[in-house]
Amino acid sequence: MATPFIHDDFLLGTKQARELYHRFAKNEPIFDYHCHLPPDLIAKNHEFADLSELWLGGDHYKWRALRANGVKERFITGDASPREKFQAWAETVPQTLRNPLYHWSALELKTYFGVTELLDGKSAERIWKKANAKLPKLRVHDLINLSKVAVVCTTDDPADPLDHHASIRANPGKLKARVYPAFRPDKALAVANPSAFNAWIEKLAGVAGATSGIKTFDDLLAALKKRHDDFHAMGARLSDHGLESALSEPCTHAQAKSVFDAARRGRAATAEYAARYGSYLMLEFGKWDAARGWTKQLHLGALRNNNVRLLTKVGPDSGFDSIGDFPQAAALSRYLNTLDSTDQLPRTIIYNVNPAHNFVFGAMIGNFQDGSIPGKVQFGSGWWFLDQREGMEWQINALSNLGLLSRFVGMITDSRSFVSYPRHEYFRRTLCNLLGADMARGEVPNDTKLVGAMVKNICYANARDYFGLELAPEFAAKK
């Protein structure tokens, strides 16, 4: 009988790699400290209607591939039936060879549905029936438990109510993972778009209990700080920011107030003044994070919403973003240094989406390690367009050359899909293959215990110890 495409030693090219993976990586829990999973679906332990809803809904990686394969939008985000959408994806999968989607799709089908048959147009009906038959026993909590997830940190706007998180905490059911919100205040910076900004301000006022509304810049700061406190009370210990580059322009309180007042009157800020205003807020956010012992995440470098025609038709986060080529080093240095100069730099993870800047980011983190904890400032895992095998290897190599790979807090899921957790397996296989090859060449000691301990820490323990989040007893453990 032929070996299935996805087998026990998939991607593991040496005996050392195989031993590292199976002994030290495979069985470690997952610490999912950055994702976009919907907390409402976790709260109600959602049952998916079919494989299309579970697997294709919201997955803009797959949507991009479908468009590239000439599939009409109707079969991607439109009104085609779930079965038709799945058929379109099944027929696209063979065209994704050498794209990580081919690997991920095969891993996901095997992990959750026991399917080792390759997906294509002819096998689609068999796989559709087999997977759908298993769905009643694969509700959201089942999928998370099956994946051995210890922590889920969702991504939440300060204007979002935290009702779903409260519900999860009060009624976890059989869910083993702890679920926490992460504070993502990007919309507070959107003074270049007064219409959207002002609608968001009204929403924020409601959840922050600002009964008189948010009329002044100080009102905005107070409302945001209130929400930061509310998130903390709900267990949050991470913030997150999606920026083209770090914001570090000089700006006084009076200048920020002036920009805010103009936006509230409907006048859009210029790029220069939006950057100044955003810089003021980003420093405030950094100080709040430091005071509370949080970790700040900076996702830098994406060029978003490139296709205006399809963006208007389909909406954001639908596959129209790209790698940007924004300058990074000087602004990032100024931002980190401004907070560090007053001893208010929180634990920080910087994620790079442009591989040309890997060594810039890898070098930058070394400037702001202060001896307070191991790896206080982290070069985050390969992100978005770089969360495939080669991109992860580039990030690992840059970090290894310029910092301490041993202190790395590992992979993120960064996904809206509950069946994306095999990306952690993919990362772990890639990590072990890279280190196993080093061992085989004699570039690191051929000492499985020494190298394996580092692998084990990168897969889980480093994140467990770094973030300080409360865990279920089975995941908490020995330090």
Side-chain angles (χ1 to χ4, degrees), residues 21 69 136 147 176 278 373:
Y21 177 73
N69 198 40
S147 303
K176 297 177 181 179
I373 62 166

Side-chain angles (χ1 to χ4, degrees), residues 166 301 305 318 343 393:
N305 302 329
S318 299
D343 199 23
E393 289 178 348

Side-chain angles (χ1 to χ4, degrees), residues 460-474:
Y460 178 70
N462 284 350
R464 179 198 65 200
D465 297 345
Y466 181 83
F467 292 106
L469 290 164
E470 179 189 345
L471 305 173
E474 67 185 277

Side-chain angles (χ1 to χ4, degrees), residues 11 98-100 103-104 352 354-356 358-359 379 381-398 411 426-427 429-431 433-434:
L11 297 184
R98 298 206 85 239
N99 185 295
H103 287 167
W104 294 345
N352 171 44
N354 186 337
N358 274 349
F359 272 66
F379 177 19
S381 64
W383 166 57
W384 204 343
F385 297 100
L386 301 182
D387 63 358
Q388 27 71 18
R389 182 180 178 183
E390 193 169 39
M392 292 188 293
E393 289 178 348
W394 289 337
Q395 184 269 347
I396 290 168
N397 286 332
M411 185 60 178
Y426 198 65
F427 166 80
R429 289 178 179 274
T430 298
L431 173 69
N433 187 61
L434 198 62

Side-chain angles (χ1 to χ4, degrees), residues 58-81:
D59 191 340
H60 54 76
Y61 286 83
K62 293 186 177 76
W63 296 353
R64 285 172 68 98
L66 285 158
R67 294 183 189 117
N69 198 40
V71 175
K72 296 186 183 303
E73 196 66 31
R74 176 173 175 262
F75 297 95
I76 304 172
T77 62
D79 61 359
S81 70

Side-chain angles (χ1 to χ4, degrees), residues 115 158 180 187 200 247 261 269 295 324 331 366 384 400 429 463 466:
V115 171
Y180 299 103
K187 293 180 181 177
W200 177 83
L247 294 171
D261 290 342
T295 297
W384 204 343
S400 299
R429 289 178 179 274
Y466 181 83

Side-chain angles (χ1 to χ4, degrees), residues 15 29 69 101 130 140 148 162 201 256 259 285 313 339 359 396 426 441:
K15 66 178 182 179
N69 198 40
L101 282 165
K130 183 173 182 178
V140 163
K148 201 176 178 182
L162 295 174
I201 287 285
V259 175
F285 299 149
K313 179 180 179 180
L339 290 170
F359 272 66
I396 290 168
Y426 198 65
R441 291 193 301 267

Side-chain angles (χ1 to χ4, degrees), residues 110-391:
K110 181 178 185 295
T111 299
Y112 299 106
F113 305 105
V115 171
T116 56
E117 182 180 9
L118 295 178
L119 178 61
D120 57 27
K122 293 180 179 179
S123 64
E125 181 64 18
R126 291 189 297 275
I127 292 173
W128 174 260
K129 289 180 178 177
K130 183 173 182 178
N132 284 337
K134 292 179 178 288
L135 279 184
K137 293 184 179 180
L138 290 176
R139 298 174 68 147
V140 163
H141 293 186
D142 301 312
L143 292 166
I144 294 173
N145 288 342
L146 179 64
S147 303
K148 201 176 178 182
V149 181
V151 164
V152 175
C153 292
T154 62
T155 302
D156 306 84
D157 190 287
D160 290 340
L162 295 174
D163 299 356
H164 299 306
H165 281 278
S167 178
I168 296 166
R169 286 169 71 92
N171 303 289
K174 295 182 180 179
L175 183 65
K176 297 177 181 179
R178 295 286 193 262
V179 181
Y180 299 103
F183 187 77
R184 177 81 172 246
D186 290 0
K187 293 180 181 177
L189 279 59
V191 286
N193 184 351
S195 176
F197 179 71
N198 286 320
W200 177 83
I201 287 285
E202 299 308 317
K203 185 180 176 184
L204 176 67
V207 297
T211 54
S212 299
I214 296 175
K215 298 177 181 177
T216 69
F217 182 55
D218 285 335
D219 289 342
L220 173 63
L221 291 175
L224 287 168
K225 182 61 170 67
K226 168 68 165 55
R227 294 304 287 159
H228 195 275
D229 293 342
D230 292 342
F231 274 59
H232 189 85
M234 196 59 66
R237 298 295 183 269
L238 292 92
S239 64
D240 184 44
H241 309 271
L243 304 169
E244 292 180 350
S245 56
L247 294 171
S248 59
E249 301 303 314
C251 184
T252 65
H253 182 278
Q255 289 171 330
K257 175 183 180 300
S258 177
V259 175
F260 172 84
D261 290 342
R264 290 294 276 154
R265 293 193 298 268
R267 194 172 79 217
T270 64
E272 175 187 354
Y273 281 96
R276 291 186 183 185
Y277 166 87
S279 298
Y280 187 95
L281 283 181
M282 285 298 296
L283 288 176
E284 289 295 301
F285 299 149
K287 294 171 185 176
W288 299 347
D289 288 353
R292 286 291 201 174
W294 285 24
T295 297
K296 177 172 293 301
Q297 300 175 93
L298 298 174
H299 284 86
L300 304 175
L303 182 64
R304 299 175 188 268
N305 302 329
N306 293 273
N307 188 323
V308 176
R309 178 182 62 83
L310 284 176
L311 176 70
T312 302
K313 179 180 179 180
V314 181
D317 302 320
S318 299
F320 311 121
D321 305 323
S322 191
I323 293 172
D325 57 357
F326 310 102
Q328 298 291 349
L332 181 57
S333 175
R334 285 195 302 269
Y335 179 68
L336 298 175
N337 188 59
T338 301
L339 290 170
D340 184 76
S341 66
T342 56
D343 199 23
Q344 291 176 296
L345 177 64
R347 303 177 194 196
T348 301
I349 305 175
I350 52 175
Y351 302 90
N352 171 44
V353 79
N354 186 337
H357 292 137
N358 274 349
F359 272 66
V360 171
F361 281 53
M364 186 63 69
I365 67 171
N367 298 325
F368 297 97
Q369 310 291 4
D370 61 11
S372 59
I373 62 166
K376 176 180 176 178
V377 183
Q378 293 269 331
F379 177 19
S381 64
W383 166 57
W384 204 343
F385 297 100
L386 301 182
D387 63 358
Q388 27 71 18
R389 182 180 178 183
E390 193 169 39

